[in-house]
């Protein structure tokens, strides 16, 4: 009986610590806005810290309409500070350049960001730009 209450207390404490850590992690995550057009759909965009220490913006690109081919192009990311001033712009090609028509297939991209970037307080707009 006492062992069960100790287990409940430990589980409750672990849940409390996890919820506080999760809430704190949300404070540092930048706000990401994906702008999709009729040609391609950008999705699953996220920030990741790379091995070299810089930040990268990774995501996937697929067709908006399975019957319409996506023209060759690139993914563009615009970074804004807290006041809404643009602080950085970067673009990259997606791989493979042929976006497959199958539903579960997509191209992927990685936008490398400056090493001195601190993602807290930054907002990002990501969109597809055809050549």
């Amino acid at each position: 009986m006492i062992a069960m209450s100790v287990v409940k207390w430990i589980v409750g404490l672990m849940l409390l610590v996890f919820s506080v850590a999760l809430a704190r992690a949300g404070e540092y995550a930048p706000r990401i806005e994906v702008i999709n057009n009729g040609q391609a759909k950008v999705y699953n965009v996220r920030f990741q810290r790379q091995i070299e220490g810089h930040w990268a913006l990774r995501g996937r690109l697929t067709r908006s309409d399975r019957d319409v081919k996506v023209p060759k192009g690139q993914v563009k990311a615009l970074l804004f500070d807290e006041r809404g001033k643009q602080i950085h712009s970067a673009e990259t090609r997606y791989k493979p350049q042929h976006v497959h028509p199958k539903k579960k297939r997509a191209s992927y991209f990685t936008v490398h960001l400056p090493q001195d970037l601190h993602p807290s307080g930054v907002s990002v707009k990501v969109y597809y730009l055809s050549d």
Side-chain angles (χ1 to χ4, degrees), residues 28-92:
Y28 301 108
R31 190 172 53 98
I32 299 173
E33 179 183 351
V34 176
I35 302 167
N36 285 316
N37 60 16
Q39 295 176 320
K41 179 182 170 190
V42 178
Y43 68 100
N44 198 20
V45 180
R46 64 213 177 271
F47 264 94
Q48 280 188 336
R49 186 172 262 327
Q50 298 297 312
I51 295 171
E52 302 87 32
H54 68 273
W55 287 92
L57 193 64
R58 301 193 68 184
R60 298 183 59 96
L61 183 123
T62 190
R63 296 181 181 200
S64 291
D65 182 358
R66 301 280 174 228
D67 297 328
V68 179
K69 186 176 178 181
V70 175
K72 292 200 184 304
Q74 55 193 345
V75 175
K76 186 156 185 151
L78 303 173
L79 280 72
F80 298 92
D81 63 6
E82 298 90 5
R83 299 176 307 235
K85 180 182 170 195
Q86 183 177 332
I87 56 174
H88 187 70
S89 169
E91 58 271 332
T92 189

